[in-house]
Amino acid sequence: MDVLDSPIVQRALIGVLITGLIAPSLGIYLVQRRMSLIGDGIGHIALTGVGLGLLTGNQPVFTAVIVAIIGSIAVELVRSRGRTSGDQALAILFYGGISGGVFLVGLAPNKTNASLMTYLFGSPLTTTWDDLVVMAVLGAVVLAVTLGLRPWLFAICQDEEYAKVAGLPVRFLNLLLAVMAAVTVTVAMRAVGLLLVSALMVVPVAMAQQLARGFSSTMAISMLGGLIAGLIGSDMSIRLDTGTGATVVLSAIALFVVVALVSPLLRRGRQRGGPAGGDSAPEWVVDQ
């Protein structure tokens, strides 16, 4: 309890919980589109923004947001072309991003490996109240989009052609989703790091899919799973003196493994106890 009384630990915990909440809310759409690793790629690109901020003396969070948004839009434009060369273009973009970040950090006046590691793997104990305000505002924007536009975003993730016929602004929604991915990566930069945020977009969603049968319930369970992983991982990292980002991700994976082992037993119980045919709806039915 004494540890939790520390303002440093409190700020770190709040930052991790914000990340644990918003990352799955966006990740569910990426998983649905089979773009689970896009967060990892945008994290590579955002590192160039971090390096640019350190080099110019500006706040790395803001430069990372700008560069990540530009990169995410470029990723979406490449993806929308649907050409075979798209994978190669994305690979160049991603690895160019992380190489550019390392290069720019090396040119920065106060260059240290510690600065680079802080952004790559997270350092929530260095989070300030100003950082939390920025994270909270950006996190609220992400939640407003992922929850407020859920029916539209679900539609484009399920069937873009049908969404176009239905009159939805598909191009705008795709770009908006890409921009929100960039914002989420930037929010998570301090808490879990640019290289680990993608795991919190994917693992809680994969866990929730083992339990839920509808889209809305899957989203809710995945967000709850992100919060639980954040709490457990933060507590363990403090007690064991380990990296917070890595411990949070390992906690999320452990939660997934436990649910994957238990969920078959739960399904058998529902099948035995429920009415015949009463649980036959597909997993991704929209239960708005």
Side-chain angles (χ1 to χ4, degrees):
M1 184 62 67
D2 293 338
V3 175
L4 293 178
D5 289 337
S6 169
I8 295 176
V9 175
Q10 292 172 0
R11 291 195 297 268
L13 181 59
I14 294 172
V16 171
L17 292 180
I18 291 174
T19 302
L21 183 66
I22 68 171
S25 76
L26 177 80
I28 190 170
Y29 298 108
L30 302 181
V31 170
Q32 189 76 335
R33 304 181 74 174
R34 293 180 174 84
M35 297 175 62
S36 299
L37 296 180
I38 195 70
D40 186 51
I42 294 176
H44 285 56
I45 297 171
L47 187 61
T48 293
V50 171
L52 185 61
L54 294 175
L55 179 63
T56 59
N58 294 312
Q59 177 56 255
V61 173
F62 295 114
T63 53
V65 168
I66 294 172
V67 173
I69 288 176
I70 294 173
S72 65
I73 292 174
V75 168
E76 173 56 30
L77 293 176
V78 171
R79 186 200 68 83
S80 63
R81 288 182 177 182
R83 297 179 180 175
T84 305
S85 60
D87 288 343
Q88 298 172 357
L90 292 178
I92 294 173
L93 193 62
F94 293 164
Y95 294 116
I98 193 169
S99 299
V102 174
F103 178 77
L104 292 175
V105 169
L107 294 178
N110 55 344
K111 61 180 179 181
T112 62
N113 288 331
S115 299
L116 187 61
M117 297 294 286
T118 294
Y119 293 104
L120 285 176
F121 298 104
S123 181
L125 292 177
T126 63
T127 304
T128 65
W129 288 116
D130 290 339
D131 291 332
L132 280 183
V133 170
V134 173
M135 293 173 69
V137 171
L138 294 178
V141 171
V142 173
L143 287 178
V145 171
T146 56
L147 298 180
L149 300 180
R150 182 177 58 193
W152 287 12
L153 295 176
F154 177 83
I156 65 169
C157 291
Q158 282 291 93
D159 191 336
E160 280 195 13
E161 294 303 320
Y162 178 80
K164 289 178 182 177
V165 173
L168 295 181
V170 173
R171 173 59 65 86
F172 169 75
L173 292 173
N174 281 331
L175 290 175
L176 181 62
L177 203 57
V179 170
M180 289 303 102
V183 173
T184 301
V185 167
T186 308
V187 169
M189 181 171 63
R190 180 73 73 178
V192 299
L194 295 173
L195 296 185
L196 296 174
V197 60
S198 183
L200 285 185
M201 292 183 181
V202 176
V203 178
V205 176
M207 179 274 298
Q209 287 179 340
Q210 305 291 321
L211 297 173
R213 302 190 66 81
F215 184 80
S216 296
S217 55
T218 301
M219 173 181 276
I221 293 174
S222 65
M223 293 169 69
L224 178 61
L227 289 175
I228 293 174
L231 281 171
I232 295 175
S234 297
D235 181 69
M236 288 182 60
S237 69
I238 292 171
R239 297 179 185 279
L240 301 177
D241 192 23
T242 56
T244 302
T247 310
V248 169
V249 170
L250 288 175
S251 299
I253 294 174
L255 188 61
F256 166 79
V257 172
V258 170
V259 170
L261 293 174
V262 172
S263 58
L265 301 178
L266 296 178
R267 290 197 196 99
R268 291 173 189 169
R270 285 199 299 260
Q271 290 172 356
R272 291 174 182 175
D279 197 28
S280 59
E283 288 191 10
W284 289 100
V285 170
V286 183
D287 49 356
Q288 303 294 340

